[in-house]
Amino acid sequence: MFSTFLTTEWIRSSALVVAVLVLSPTVAFGQASEADSPTDSNPAAESSESDPGTDRVAMKSFRKPPMDPEKIASVFQAQAVMPEDVPTVIPGFGEDQSDPGEQTEGSGEEQAVQIKIAELISQLGAPEFAVREQATAGLRKLADDALPALRTAAIEHDDLEVRLRAEDVATGIVNSAVAGRIDSFLEGEPGSFEGWEVFQRVLGDGPRLREVFVEMMLRHEDLVQALEVSTEARMAALEKVIARVQRRQLIESQLPSAPDVIGMLLCFNDPELKLSNIHEEALLRMLRMSVTAEVLRDDQLAEPFRVLLAGWIPRCNQASRPEVLWMSLQRDLERTLPFAEKIVQQPESGIDEVAFSLQLISRFGDESNVDMVRGLLGDERPVTDFEFIGDSPIQAQVRDLAAATIMILKRKPLDEIGLNPNSLHPKTGFVARNLGFPANDPEPRREMLEALDELLESDDEPAVDAPSETESN
């Protein structure tokens, strides 16, 4: 459990925040509250076993794996354009969801209920305390049936006392409904909250994922709603989430949490979202913080988090690539390998991109990558600044890193061709600066490349079968 992550009990109590938002009919979609950021088709598997490290919500398992990263884009591409009128109320949070076609207009029973509700609302302004309390209790008992009339009375009734009490009663009804729905949702019951369908299709299902979703709903209601709307809605919500998270850091000294970074990554996986360097820097700043390590340590969140990163990274801006590749090395993000393979084959790729990509290939690639890397053995671009050993300036070039990568992929010792064996590194594959050669003496590098060519040519030659004993006779 994260130090900054909300406990289940806190989540339940925080449902009051959602209730307040629901009762505000003037809040337009996408506006932040002023009070405050491998397949998808498998059915959820149920098990009676509990998971260590989780609270009592995990006593009943309801798991579903995350979607393949390459399929995430299709979830957002299938959505229609943003409608003109977007409901500001989260479905299931106290609003009337009944089908008008199922109602019998003018039925005597319905009319009697509405007359009773109107009488009780009028009694909220009675001078007698007992009458007011009886009216309050009666309206709470009617619950959702009374909500529309209560909301209307809270805005339009002539009596100020009635308006105030109607709002209080409506708040109490919604609070009770919200808390009950969140309880059931966290225990594994089907959820009908707006945004949940997209969330669980992409990330899967599980106790901790549901906790993250509820906290996202409480912190970033606009973002959760935008998941099922349009690219325009997601962009508007994303920018508000970034501002919200930054404000909490500066004013309240609160570090980003799992719902913050997962919510942003969900938006970043929309292929139509036009992300600027400013947007990506906001995300990268968050990923540099402790929240990344905390999420990756969580058994239930680590894989969905990796899937979101793998979905976004291939589309990141070129300016972000070096840091993204470095992060992939440090966080063991093996799914970034295809992205690194693509970079080393692009002539326009920068030196830092190529260097980090070679390190990533040396860590997660295999011998099938050798031919791809071999094309860089003629790249003389410098990777490191000059370092001096005595009076000799030493500098590593792209071709030196390519040679080291090939030897690692072929599981050969580096010193077999004259590379420094102490260059190997468990996290980054190798240390670039330890692979340099004298800048004023080209002979050692030339000998290294010739030795590598001989090794590769010998491996390319087809094996010659030894003559049989019969043939030799």
Side-chain angles (χ1 to χ4, degrees):
M1 186 70 67
F2 305 158
S3 59
T4 58
F5 195 85
L6 300 180
T7 64
T8 304
E9 295 303 322
W10 191 97
I11 291 174
R12 288 169 178 152
S13 64
S14 296
L16 298 176
V17 178
V18 175
V20 172
L21 293 175
V22 169
L23 290 175
S24 178
T26 59
V27 177
F29 175 81
Q31 292 180 334
S33 167
E34 292 183 3
D36 235 59
S37 146
T39 60
D40 62 318
S41 58
N42 293 344
E46 293 199 2
S47 169
S48 60
E49 297 180 1
S50 61
D51 298 312
T54 61
D55 55 26
R56 67 183 183 88
V57 173
M59 293 301 290
K60 182 173 67 173
S61 180
F62 35 93
R63 299 192 186 283
K64 175 183 174 183
M67 177 179 281
D68 188 297
E70 296 179 355
K71 297 180 180 179
I72 298 177
S74 64
V75 175
F76 297 115
Q77 288 170 335
Q79 293 176 357
V81 296
M82 182 177 178
E84 294 181 2
D85 297 320
V86 180
T88 61
V89 179
I90 300 176
F93 275 26
E95 78 279 21
D96 184 5
Q97 299 185 64
S98 59
D99 184 355
E102 296 178 356
Q103 298 176 2
T104 305
E105 295 184 5
S107 66
E109 183 178 350
E110 176 66 20
Q111 290 180 359
V113 171
Q114 293 304 318
I115 292 172
K116 178 65 174 176
I117 291 172
E119 291 177 354
L120 292 173
I121 289 176
S122 65
Q123 291 172 8
L124 292 176
E128 297 85 1
F129 174 79
V131 174
R132 295 196 303 270
E133 288 300 299
Q134 287 177 357
T136 299
L139 290 166
R140 286 177 177 169
K141 186 176 180 180
L142 289 167
D144 288 354
D145 291 338
L147 267 179
L150 282 167
R151 285 173 172 157
T152 301
I155 298 173
E156 301 178 0
H157 202 281
D158 295 336
D159 190 330
L160 174 61
E161 186 72 15
V162 173
R163 292 201 300 271
L164 295 175
R165 291 185 182 277
E167 183 175 358
D168 288 342
V169 175
T171 300
I173 292 172
V174 174
N175 288 352
S176 178
V178 168
R181 289 184 61 78
I182 287 180
D183 274 349
S184 299
F185 177 72
L186 292 175
E187 293 292 344
E189 296 299 324
S192 60
F193 303 121
E194 193 167 358
W196 171 243
E197 175 62 25
V198 170
F199 185 96
Q200 62 88 20
R201 281 186 64 193
V202 174
L203 297 177
D205 196 359
R208 298 286 282 113
L209 283 167
R210 291 192 175 214
E211 288 184 354
V212 168
F213 177 78
V214 170
E215 190 178 354
M216 275 181 58
M217 192 165 54
L218 298 176
R219 288 191 176 204
H220 310 301
E221 183 190 11
D222 42 9
L223 185 147
V224 171
Q225 290 178 328
L227 292 179
E228 296 183 352
V229 183
S230 69
T231 296
E232 291 78 7
R234 283 184 284 277
M235 175 58 82
L238 174 64
E239 292 182 342
K240 292 180 186 301
V241 169
I242 292 173
R244 211 172 288 143
V245 171
Q246 291 176 345
R247 184 174 66 247
R248 287 208 315 265
Q249 285 183 256
L250 294 174
I251 298 178
E252 304 173 22
S253 300
Q254 290 186 15
L255 293 177
S257 64
D260 297 330
V261 69
I262 288 176
M264 287 184 63
L265 278 170
L266 275 168
C267 291
F268 273 52
N269 272 267
D270 182 348
E272 302 301 322
L273 208 65
K274 305 301 181 184
L275 296 168
S276 67
N277 291 338
I278 295 175
H279 295 122
E280 292 194 349
E281 176 56 29
L283 176 63
L284 290 171
R285 190 184 306 117
M286 213 180 288
L287 293 174
R288 296 180 200 122
M289 300 182 184
S290 59
V291 62
T292 301
E294 292 170 349
V295 173
L296 290 173
R297 282 197 301 266
D298 190 301
D299 291 340
Q300 296 186 39
L301 299 182
E303 184 61 16
F305 181 66
R306 292 176 186 275
V307 165
L308 287 177
L309 286 172
W312 159 64
I313 284 175
R315 294 193 299 274
C316 70
N317 295 328
Q318 188 166 9
S320 303
R321 287 180 179 180
E323 182 168 357
V324 165
L325 292 165
W326 177 253
M327 177 188 67
S328 299
L329 287 165
Q330 298 301 312
R331 302 299 185 184
D332 302 323
L333 302 179
E334 187 173 352
R335 282 194 176 95
T336 314
L337 177 61
F339 183 52
E341 294 170 343
K342 179 181 177 181
I343 287 176
V344 298
Q345 297 178 82
Q346 294 176 334
E348 67 274 14
S349 296
I351 296 175
D352 288 342
E353 298 171 54
V354 173
F356 287 132
S357 294
L358 287 172
Q359 289 179 303
L360 202 142
I361 292 171
S362 72
R363 272 209 61 193
F364 302 122
D366 54 37
E367 199 164 350
S368 66
N369 296 115
V370 168
D371 287 341
M372 177 194 308
V373 177
R374 196 171 180 176
L376 295 174
L377 292 176
D379 194 330
E380 301 181 12
R381 288 180 293 174
V383 176
T384 62
D385 295 329
F386 285 113
E387 295 186 8
F388 287 85
I389 298 179
D391 294 332
S392 179
I394 305 296
Q395 188 176 54
Q397 299 177 354
V398 171
R399 54 183 173 175
D400 305 328
L401 275 60
T405 300
I406 291 173
M407 295 300 287
I408 293 171
L409 293 175
K410 296 182 74 65
R411 301 182 182 278
K412 302 281 188 180
L414 296 184
D415 53 1
E416 184 174 328
I417 60 171
L419 291 171
N420 182 1
N422 296 322
S423 301
L424 295 176
H425 191 280
K427 274 287 186 185
T428 61
F430 53 79
V431 179
R433 68 173 181 272
N434 292 344
L435 293 171
F437 285 90
N440 54 6
D441 184 4
E443 193 64 21
R445 179 179 280 119
R446 184 185 63 79
E447 293 176 354
M448 180 273 292
L449 293 172
E450 288 180 353
L452 179 59
D453 282 340
E454 292 178 5
L455 185 149
L456 293 174
E457 288 175 4
S458 65
D459 287 348
D460 290 341
E461 292 177 359
V464 179
D465 296 333
S468 64
E469 185 176 343
T470 304
E471 292 175 343
S472 62
N473 291 333

